[in-house]
Amino acid sequence: MTELLQHGPAAPVWRPVTQPGHTPVQLPEPVAQLARTVAANRKGHATIGALPPSPWLFPGGQPGRPISTTQLAQHLNQLGIRPNQARSTALFQLATEIPAAILARTLDIHTDVAVAWQRLSTGDWATYAAEVSQRARPT
């Protein structure tokens, strides 16, 4: 989930709120335009009376709270978007491009999980090298 820090003509800045203190992220176009559109039209489900605008990109049913991950996944599934598949694809791609330690720190996951993703996505190169060195050489 993300919290809106700034929006307007410039690209929106969002702060991941998985843990307090995470660094804000500036979104690239065209994602920034989509985020501006959503931010301009967002409303929670519990809007009774005049409430201040929600700081959340996707407000939830309780004032001041974000939509739950379950509810968001249900909405996306109804639109034909499979968030779990997209997440796995994105993690596989990241695991092929950056070291496990950086992946773990960036995504706030355990290093063992990042290493497992790397092994699944790119293969275990140390094991591969050991297997290749043990192969019989043609004579």
Side-chain angles (χ1 to χ4, degrees), residues 12-71:
V13 177
W14 307 92
R15 180 180 68 197
V17 291
T18 54
Q19 285 192 347
H22 278 194
T23 306
V25 176
Q26 186 153 356
L27 300 175
E29 294 296 342
V31 175
Q33 181 57 45
L34 291 170
R36 281 192 292 273
T37 301
V38 170
N41 297 305
R42 68 182 181 229
K43 60 181 183 235
H45 299 287
T47 53
I48 300 172
L51 295 173
S54 174
W56 301 100
L57 181 59
F58 300 107
Q62 299 175 1
R65 303 283 303 160
I67 191 171
S68 71
T69 54
T70 302
Q71 198 67 26

